[in-house]
Amino acid sequence: MYQAYHPKNKNFCYNPHMHIQILTIGTPRESFIQTGVAENVKRLSRFGKIRLVHLKESAGSTDVARHAERTTLILLDEKGSEFTSKGFAKYLDKKNAHGSHLTFLIGGTDGHTDAVRLLPHESLSLSRLTLPHEMALLFFTETLYRSLSITAGH
């Protein structure tokens, strides 16, 4: 677990080695989702380098592979591994301890294409339910924040 201390902010816990990228297919249209995601990404930035990239609906596996180059690609998929908040925190801490740069991919309205599924990847499930991709982005950024907060001891 990486614990950094900043004298002016007791909640500061920045890890310069943590790089997390979130790729989404399409841009959220609902304003409440845009607001929630922006707030979560702002809160996440105190833990490390966080990058949110909205790919075009027409993005294919080549685009995903280019953005995920030299990172561990993790597809958010209802068939993926499920974690509790503490379990996901341990998973992230373990990945971070190995210096992994992580790219999480949230599919578009039709999920992930077969070509994307052929890329080397891990899979993570937010729920066994099929979630609208915009809601999945909001839920995932909140889940990521919660898990990193647990890891930081908050």
Short mmCIF file of all heavy atoms in Angstrom, two decimals, residues 14-22 48-51 67-74 91-105 120-122:
data_model
loop_
_atom_site.label_atom_id
_atom_site.label_comp_id
_atom_site.label_asym_id
_atom_site.label_seq_id
_atom_site.Cartn_x
_atom_site.Cartn_y
_atom_site.Cartn_z
N TYR A 14 -1.12 10.77 -3.22
CA TYR A 14 -0.76 10.68 -4.63
C TYR A 14 0.36 9.66 -4.82
O TYR A 14 1.37 9.70 -4.12
CB TYR A 14 -0.32 12.04 -5.16
CG TYR A 14 -0.06 12.04 -6.64
CD1 TYR A 14 -1.11 12.15 -7.53
CD2 TYR A 14 1.22 11.91 -7.14
CE1 TYR A 14 -0.89 12.14 -8.91
CE2 TYR A 14 1.46 11.90 -8.51
CZ TYR A 14 0.40 12.02 -9.38
OH TYR A 14 0.62 12.00 -10.73
N ASN A 15 0.18 8.76 -5.73
CA ASN A 15 1.20 7.77 -6.07
C ASN A 15 1.67 8.07 -7.49
O ASN A 15 0.93 7.85 -8.44
CB ASN A 15 0.64 6.36 -5.99
CG ASN A 15 1.67 5.30 -6.30
OD1 ASN A 15 2.73 5.59 -6.85
ND2 ASN A 15 1.37 4.09 -5.94
N PRO A 16 2.88 8.58 -7.66
CA PRO A 16 3.35 8.94 -9.00
C PRO A 16 3.51 7.75 -9.93
O PRO A 16 3.63 7.91 -11.13
CB PRO A 16 4.70 9.62 -8.73
CG PRO A 16 5.14 9.06 -7.41
CD PRO A 16 3.89 8.80 -6.63
N HIS A 17 3.49 6.55 -9.38
CA HIS A 17 3.65 5.35 -10.21
C HIS A 17 2.33 4.80 -10.71
O HIS A 17 2.31 3.92 -11.56
CB HIS A 17 4.40 4.28 -9.42
CG HIS A 17 5.71 4.76 -8.89
ND1 HIS A 17 6.78 5.07 -9.70
CD2 HIS A 17 6.10 5.04 -7.62
CE1 HIS A 17 7.78 5.50 -8.95
NE2 HIS A 17 7.40 5.50 -7.70
N MET A 18 1.22 5.28 -10.17
CA MET A 18 -0.08 4.76 -10.58
C MET A 18 -0.58 5.51 -11.82
O MET A 18 -0.71 6.72 -11.81
CB MET A 18 -1.11 4.92 -9.46
CG MET A 18 -2.46 4.34 -9.86
SD MET A 18 -3.72 4.56 -8.60
CE MET A 18 -2.99 3.67 -7.25
N HIS A 19 -0.83 4.74 -12.87
CA HIS A 19 -1.39 5.29 -14.09
C HIS A 19 -2.62 4.47 -14.45
O HIS A 19 -2.51 3.27 -14.71
CB HIS A 19 -0.39 5.21 -15.25
CG HIS A 19 0.79 6.11 -15.08
ND1 HIS A 19 1.84 5.81 -14.23
CD2 HIS A 19 1.08 7.30 -15.63
CE1 HIS A 19 2.73 6.78 -14.29
NE2 HIS A 19 2.29 7.70 -15.12
N ILE A 20 -3.76 5.12 -14.43
CA ILE A 20 -5.01 4.46 -14.79
C ILE A 20 -5.66 5.24 -15.92
O ILE A 20 -5.82 6.46 -15.84
CB ILE A 20 -5.96 4.37 -13.58
CG1 ILE A 20 -5.34 3.47 -12.50
CG2 ILE A 20 -7.33 3.84 -14.01
CD1 ILE A 20 -6.14 3.37 -11.24
N GLN A 21 -6.01 4.50 -16.94
CA GLN A 21 -6.68 5.08 -18.09
C GLN A 21 -8.04 4.40 -18.21
O GLN A 21 -8.15 3.19 -18.08
CB GLN A 21 -5.84 4.82 -19.34
CG GLN A 21 -6.46 5.31 -20.62
CD GLN A 21 -5.52 5.15 -21.78
OE1 GLN A 21 -5.22 6.11 -22.44
NE2 GLN A 21 -5.02 3.96 -22.04
N ILE A 22 -9.06 5.19 -18.44
CA ILE A 22 -10.41 4.66 -18.65
C ILE A 22 -10.81 5.02 -20.07
O ILE A 22 -10.87 6.20 -20.42
CB ILE A 22 -11.41 5.26 -17.65
CG1 ILE A 22 -10.94 5.02 -16.21
CG2 ILE A 22 -12.81 4.69 -17.89
CD1 ILE A 22 -11.70 5.83 -15.17
N GLY A 48 -3.30 9.36 -8.25
CA GLY A 48 -2.32 9.06 -9.28
C GLY A 48 -2.75 9.69 -10.60
O GLY A 48 -3.69 10.49 -10.64
N LYS A 49 -2.09 9.29 -11.65
CA LYS A 49 -2.41 9.84 -12.96
C LYS A 49 -3.65 9.11 -13.51
O LYS A 49 -3.61 7.90 -13.74
CB LYS A 49 -1.23 9.68 -13.92
CG LYS A 49 -1.47 10.32 -15.27
CD LYS A 49 -0.26 10.23 -16.15
CE LYS A 49 -0.59 10.85 -17.49
NZ LYS A 49 0.51 10.71 -18.42
N ILE A 50 -4.71 9.85 -13.72
CA ILE A 50 -5.97 9.30 -14.22
C ILE A 50 -6.27 9.96 -15.56
O ILE A 50 -6.21 11.19 -15.68
CB ILE A 50 -7.14 9.58 -13.25
CG1 ILE A 50 -6.83 9.08 -11.85
CG2 ILE A 50 -8.44 8.99 -13.79
CD1 ILE A 50 -6.68 7.58 -11.71
N ARG A 51 -6.58 9.15 -16.54
CA ARG A 51 -6.87 9.67 -17.88
C ARG A 51 -8.18 9.05 -18.35
O ARG A 51 -8.35 7.84 -18.31
CB ARG A 51 -5.74 9.30 -18.82
CG ARG A 51 -5.88 9.86 -20.20
CD ARG A 51 -4.60 9.65 -20.99
NE ARG A 51 -4.80 10.14 -22.33
CZ ARG A 51 -4.52 9.47 -23.42
NH1 ARG A 51 -3.98 8.26 -23.33
NH2 ARG A 51 -4.74 9.97 -24.60
N HIS A 67 -4.40 2.79 -27.77
CA HIS A 67 -4.54 3.49 -26.49
C HIS A 67 -4.07 2.65 -25.32
O HIS A 67 -3.64 3.18 -24.30
CB HIS A 67 -5.99 3.92 -26.27
CG HIS A 67 -6.37 5.15 -27.03
ND1 HIS A 67 -6.00 6.41 -26.64
CD2 HIS A 67 -7.07 5.31 -28.17
CE1 HIS A 67 -6.46 7.30 -27.50
NE2 HIS A 67 -7.11 6.65 -28.44
N ALA A 68 -4.19 1.32 -25.43
CA ALA A 68 -3.83 0.42 -24.32
C ALA A 68 -2.42 -0.11 -24.42
O ALA A 68 -2.02 -0.95 -23.61
CB ALA A 68 -4.83 -0.73 -24.27
N GLU A 69 -1.66 0.38 -25.38
CA GLU A 69 -0.28 -0.10 -25.57
C GLU A 69 0.53 0.09 -24.30
O GLU A 69 0.43 1.10 -23.61
CB GLU A 69 0.36 0.69 -26.72
CG GLU A 69 1.66 0.15 -27.17
CD GLU A 69 2.19 0.88 -28.40
OE1 GLU A 69 1.78 2.03 -28.65
OE2 GLU A 69 3.01 0.29 -29.10
N ARG A 70 1.28 -0.94 -23.93
CA ARG A 70 2.14 -0.96 -22.74
C ARG A 70 1.36 -0.82 -21.43
O ARG A 70 1.87 -0.29 -20.45
CB ARG A 70 3.25 0.09 -22.84
CG ARG A 70 4.25 -0.20 -23.96
CD ARG A 70 5.44 0.74 -23.94
NE ARG A 70 5.14 2.15 -24.05
CZ ARG A 70 4.94 2.80 -25.19
NH1 ARG A 70 5.01 2.17 -26.33
NH2 ARG A 70 4.69 4.09 -25.18
N THR A 71 0.11 -1.24 -21.43
CA THR A 71 -0.69 -1.25 -20.21
C THR A 71 -1.37 -2.61 -20.09
O THR A 71 -1.37 -3.39 -21.04
CB THR A 71 -1.79 -0.16 -20.20
OG1 THR A 71 -2.81 -0.50 -21.14
CG2 THR A 71 -1.23 1.21 -20.53
N THR A 72 -1.93 -2.87 -18.94
CA THR A 72 -2.77 -4.05 -18.77
C THR A 72 -4.19 -3.64 -19.16
O THR A 72 -4.75 -2.73 -18.55
CB THR A 72 -2.74 -4.54 -17.30
OG1 THR A 72 -1.41 -4.88 -16.97
CG2 THR A 72 -3.64 -5.75 -17.11
N LEU A 73 -4.74 -4.28 -20.18
CA LEU A 73 -6.09 -3.97 -20.64
C LEU A 73 -7.09 -4.79 -19.83
O LEU A 73 -6.96 -6.01 -19.72
CB LEU A 73 -6.24 -4.28 -22.13
CG LEU A 73 -7.62 -4.07 -22.74
CD1 LEU A 73 -8.05 -2.60 -22.64
CD2 LEU A 73 -7.64 -4.52 -24.20
N ILE A 74 -8.07 -4.11 -19.28
CA ILE A 74 -9.10 -4.77 -18.48
C ILE A 74 -10.46 -4.36 -19.05
O ILE A 74 -10.83 -3.18 -19.02
CB ILE A 74 -9.00 -4.36 -17.00
CG1 ILE A 74 -7.60 -4.70 -16.47
CG2 ILE A 74 -10.09 -5.06 -16.17
CD1 ILE A 74 -7.24 -4.03 -15.18
N TYR A 91 -6.91 -5.93 -5.37
CA TYR A 91 -6.54 -6.19 -6.76
C TYR A 91 -5.75 -5.00 -7.32
O TYR A 91 -4.68 -5.18 -7.91
CB TYR A 91 -7.81 -6.44 -7.57
CG TYR A 91 -7.63 -6.50 -9.07
CD1 TYR A 91 -7.23 -7.68 -9.69
CD2 TYR A 91 -7.88 -5.39 -9.86
CE1 TYR A 91 -7.08 -7.76 -11.06
CE2 TYR A 91 -7.74 -5.46 -11.24
CZ TYR A 91 -7.34 -6.64 -11.83
OH TYR A 91 -7.20 -6.70 -13.20
N LEU A 92 -6.26 -3.78 -7.11
CA LEU A 92 -5.57 -2.58 -7.60
C LEU A 92 -4.23 -2.40 -6.92
O LEU A 92 -3.24 -2.03 -7.56
CB LEU A 92 -6.45 -1.35 -7.38
CG LEU A 92 -7.70 -1.24 -8.23
CD1 LEU A 92 -8.56 -0.08 -7.76
CD2 LEU A 92 -7.35 -1.09 -9.70
N ASP A 93 -4.18 -2.65 -5.62
CA ASP A 93 -2.94 -2.50 -4.87
C ASP A 93 -1.88 -3.48 -5.39
O ASP A 93 -0.71 -3.12 -5.54
CB ASP A 93 -3.21 -2.72 -3.38
CG ASP A 93 -2.10 -2.16 -2.50
OD1 ASP A 93 -1.52 -1.12 -2.85
OD2 ASP A 93 -1.83 -2.78 -1.46
N LYS A 94 -2.30 -4.70 -5.67
CA LYS A 94 -1.38 -5.70 -6.21
C LYS A 94 -0.86 -5.29 -7.58
O LYS A 94 0.34 -5.38 -7.86
CB LYS A 94 -2.09 -7.05 -6.29
CG LYS A 94 -1.21 -8.19 -6.74
CD LYS A 94 -1.99 -9.50 -6.74
CE LYS A 94 -1.14 -10.63 -7.27
NZ LYS A 94 -1.89 -11.89 -7.35
N LYS A 95 -1.76 -4.82 -8.44
CA LYS A 95 -1.34 -4.36 -9.78
C LYS A 95 -0.38 -3.18 -9.65
O LYS A 95 0.63 -3.11 -10.35
CB LYS A 95 -2.56 -3.94 -10.61
CG LYS A 95 -3.45 -5.07 -11.02
CD LYS A 95 -2.79 -5.90 -12.07
CE LYS A 95 -3.73 -6.94 -12.62
NZ LYS A 95 -3.04 -7.85 -13.53
N ASN A 96 -0.69 -2.27 -8.75
CA ASN A 96 0.14 -1.09 -8.56
C ASN A 96 1.51 -1.46 -8.01
O ASN A 96 2.52 -0.88 -8.39
CB ASN A 96 -0.56 -0.10 -7.63
CG ASN A 96 0.14 1.23 -7.60
OD1 ASN A 96 0.64 1.70 -8.60
ND2 ASN A 96 0.18 1.83 -6.43
N ALA A 97 1.56 -2.47 -7.13
CA ALA A 97 2.84 -2.91 -6.55
C ALA A 97 3.76 -3.47 -7.63
O ALA A 97 4.98 -3.40 -7.50
CB ALA A 97 2.59 -3.97 -5.48
N HIS A 98 3.19 -4.00 -8.69
CA HIS A 98 3.98 -4.54 -9.79
C HIS A 98 4.26 -3.49 -10.86
O HIS A 98 4.80 -3.80 -11.92
CB HIS A 98 3.27 -5.74 -10.43
CG HIS A 98 3.25 -6.94 -9.53
ND1 HIS A 98 2.17 -7.27 -8.77
CD2 HIS A 98 4.22 -7.85 -9.25
CE1 HIS A 98 2.45 -8.35 -8.07
NE2 HIS A 98 3.68 -8.72 -8.34
N GLY A 99 3.87 -2.25 -10.60
CA GLY A 99 4.14 -1.17 -11.54
C GLY A 99 3.27 -1.21 -12.78
O GLY A 99 3.62 -0.60 -13.80
N SER A 100 2.15 -1.89 -12.70
CA SER A 100 1.27 -1.99 -13.87
C SER A 100 0.58 -0.67 -14.15
O SER A 100 0.11 0.01 -13.24
CB SER A 100 0.18 -3.06 -13.64
OG SER A 100 0.74 -4.32 -13.47
N HIS A 101 0.53 -0.32 -15.41
CA HIS A 101 -0.31 0.77 -15.86
C HIS A 101 -1.58 0.10 -16.37
O HIS A 101 -1.51 -0.87 -17.13
CB HIS A 101 0.36 1.55 -16.97
CG HIS A 101 1.56 2.32 -16.50
ND1 HIS A 101 2.09 3.36 -17.21
CD2 HIS A 101 2.33 2.20 -15.40
CE1 HIS A 101 3.13 3.85 -16.56
NE2 HIS A 101 3.30 3.15 -15.46
N LEU A 102 -2.73 0.58 -15.93
CA LEU A 102 -3.98 -0.09 -16.21
C LEU A 102 -4.85 0.70 -17.16
O LEU A 102 -4.95 1.92 -17.04
CB LEU A 102 -4.75 -0.31 -14.90
CG LEU A 102 -4.00 -1.02 -13.78
CD1 LEU A 102 -4.85 -1.07 -12.51
CD2 LEU A 102 -3.59 -2.41 -14.21
N THR A 103 -5.48 -0.01 -18.10
CA THR A 103 -6.46 0.59 -18.99
C THR A 103 -7.75 -0.20 -18.85
O THR A 103 -7.78 -1.40 -19.11
CB THR A 103 -6.00 0.55 -20.47
OG1 THR A 103 -4.83 1.36 -20.60
CG2 THR A 103 -7.07 1.10 -21.39
N PHE A 104 -8.80 0.48 -18.41
CA PHE A 104 -10.12 -0.13 -18.29
C PHE A 104 -10.94 0.30 -19.49
O PHE A 104 -10.97 1.48 -19.83
CB PHE A 104 -10.80 0.33 -16.99
CG PHE A 104 -10.12 -0.17 -15.75
CD1 PHE A 104 -9.14 0.58 -15.13
CD2 PHE A 104 -10.44 -1.40 -15.21
CE1 PHE A 104 -8.50 0.13 -13.98
CE2 PHE A 104 -9.81 -1.87 -14.07
CZ PHE A 104 -8.84 -1.11 -13.45
N LEU A 105 -11.60 -0.66 -20.12
CA LEU A 105 -12.39 -0.38 -21.32
C LEU A 105 -13.86 -0.66 -21.05
O LEU A 105 -14.23 -1.78 -20.67
CB LEU A 105 -11.91 -1.22 -22.50
CG LEU A 105 -12.73 -1.09 -23.80
CD1 LEU A 105 -12.69 0.35 -24.34
CD2 LEU A 105 -12.23 -2.07 -24.84
N PRO A 120 -5.25 -9.28 -25.91
CA PRO A 120 -4.90 -9.81 -24.59
C PRO A 120 -5.51 -8.90 -23.52
O PRO A 120 -5.36 -7.68 -23.57
CB PRO A 120 -3.38 -9.72 -24.54
CG PRO A 120 -2.94 -9.53 -25.95
CD PRO A 120 -4.07 -8.90 -26.69
N HIS A 121 -6.25 -9.50 -22.60
CA HIS A 121 -6.94 -8.70 -21.60
C HIS A 121 -7.34 -9.52 -20.38
O HIS A 121 -7.28 -10.74 -20.39
CB HIS A 121 -8.20 -8.06 -22.21
CG HIS A 121 -9.28 -9.08 -22.51
ND1 HIS A 121 -9.28 -9.82 -23.66
CD2 HIS A 121 -10.36 -9.48 -21.79
CE1 HIS A 121 -10.33 -10.64 -23.65
NE2 HIS A 121 -10.99 -10.46 -22.52
N GLU A 122 -7.74 -8.78 -19.35
CA GLU A 122 -8.41 -9.34 -18.19
C GLU A 122 -9.84 -8.80 -18.26
O GLU A 122 -10.11 -7.85 -18.98
CB GLU A 122 -7.73 -8.88 -16.90
CG GLU A 122 -6.31 -9.40 -16.76
CD GLU A 122 -5.63 -8.90 -15.48
OE1 GLU A 122 -6.34 -8.50 -14.53
OE2 GLU A 122 -4.40 -8.93 -15.46
#
